[in-house]
Amino acid sequence: GQSLEQPSEVTAVEGAIVQINCTYQTSGFYGLSWYQQHDGGAPTFLSYNALDGLEETGRFSSFLSRSDSYGYLLLQELQMKDSASYFCAVSNSGAGSYQLTFGKGTKLSVIP
Amino acid sequence: EAQVTQNPRYLITVTGKKLTVTCSQNMNHEYMSWYRQDPGLGLRQIYYSMNVEVTDKGDVPEGYKVSRKEKRNFPLILESPSPNQTSLYFCASSLSLLAPTGRFGEAFFGQGTRLTVV
């Protein structure tokens, strides 16, 4: 089966930088995605890494190391509206099945 | 506008009364799936479908059924709901795993259905 580990809660100051880590165990790994979910809302896609390295999208960056089964989401210039839950998710396939499996999420609180 | 539409948004029902939650997407996506979200447990996959007439169990399929007769629709059926199925449910769709790199990992979610079984 698959397993993903990420911190349950993180607190950071407005304007600062925060990194949310994700480690995973899975077979048939294709890539690592990140999603944001505000309270009461639906998850929304942030980024995807299939290859090692850093992907940057505005204030958000995502990193993957396939050899270490590890990735992280980096949020810069934090804003109050970034307070939300962040989920990592692995895409994997095996024995004819294809799944997108999510971690339990990290609740980010941005404080003034 | 590209979207995934779920109905209803809120539902309160009684134990044992069959119900269906509908899901429809307008992006011509091959892959569709259902998740349930419970506090502290994240999003857990119930069932998924790789294309029309192709469905498979996710991590928590017990007590649920699905069908995929058309590409755009993927209803979730609870034949005999029980209180432990009280949860927030999300439908999601994405391109297939064989799509250009990254597109499978980019899933679009519906607004969610909050189900309470009493």
Side-chain angles (χ1 to χ4, degrees), chain A residues 3-98:
Chain A
S3 69
L4 296 96
E5 295 289 333
Q6 53 180 128
S8 58
E9 295 183 18
V10 173
T11 300
V13 178
E14 189 177 15
I17 299 173
V18 71
Q19 178 174 313
I20 299 174
N21 298 321
C22 175
T23 58
Y24 59 87
Q25 288 186 326
T26 187
S27 56
F29 176 83
Y30 270 80
L32 185 70
S33 307
W34 289 91
Y35 289 79
Q36 178 191 62
Q37 184 182 32
H38 286 99
D39 283 347
T44 56
F45 174 80
L46 291 176
S47 69
Y48 177 86
N49 294 70
L51 304 175
D52 287 356
L54 192 68
E55 295 281 342
E56 298 181 62
T57 308
R59 294 188 296 116
F60 294 1
S61 303
S62 57
F63 172 83
L64 175 65
S65 168
R66 293 175 69 112
S67 60
D68 294 323
S69 298
Y70 163 77
Y72 66 72
L73 179 69
L74 192 73
L75 295 81
Q76 303 182 70
E77 301 172 18
L78 280 173
Q79 302 175 8
M80 299 300 290
K81 68 178 182 178
D82 296 329
S83 292
S85 292
Y86 293 84
F87 296 86
C88 58
V90 293
S91 310
N92 69 290
S93 73
S97 71
Y98 302 91

Side-chain angles (χ1 to χ4, degrees), chain A residues 2 30 33-35 37 40-45 47-48 50-51 87 89-105, chain B residues 9 31 35 37 40-45 48 50 56-59 88 90 94 97-98 101-112 114:
Chain A
Q2 302 90 277
Y30 270 80
S33 307
W34 289 91
Y35 289 79
Q37 184 182 32
T44 56
F45 174 80
S47 69
Y48 177 86
L51 304 175
F87 296 86
V90 293
S91 310
N92 69 290
S93 73
S97 71
Y98 302 91
Q99 287 190 269
L100 183 61
T101 303
F102 286 77
K104 294 181 180 179
Chain B
R9 293 289 310 277
Y31 192 92
Y35 294 86
Q37 185 172 30
L41 297 178
L43 291 151
R44 293 181 292 168
Q45 194 174 49
Y48 63 93
M50 290 187 285
D56 208 346
K57 296 177 181 178
D59 297 317
L88 178 59
F90 287 102
S94 62
L97 195 64
L98 302 179
T101 301
R103 306 308 298 276
F104 177 74
E106 181 181 358
F108 294 79
F109 282 79
Q111 318 96 301
R114 189 167 292 280

Side-chain angles (χ1 to χ4, degrees), chain B residues 33-99:
Chain B
S33 56
W34 277 100
Y35 294 86
R36 62 176 289 174
Q37 185 172 30
D38 302 288
L41 297 178
L43 291 151
R44 293 181 292 168
Q45 194 174 49
I46 303 170
Y47 268 94
Y48 63 93
S49 169
M50 290 187 285
N51 216 323
V52 176
E53 302 291 1
V54 181
T55 64
D56 208 346
K57 296 177 181 178
D59 297 317
V60 288
E62 293 77 20
Y64 304 95
K65 285 176 58 177
V66 293
S67 69
R68 188 91 181 273
K69 294 184 171 59
E70 305 165 281
K71 197 171 188 179
R72 63 182 293 126
N73 296 323
F74 190 47
L76 178 70
I77 303 157
L78 285 73
E79 295 270 2
S80 183
S82 62
N84 65 12
Q85 292 178 297
T86 292
S87 187
L88 178 59
Y89 291 86
F90 287 102
C91 177
S93 75
S94 62
L95 289 172
S96 76
L97 195 64
L98 302 179

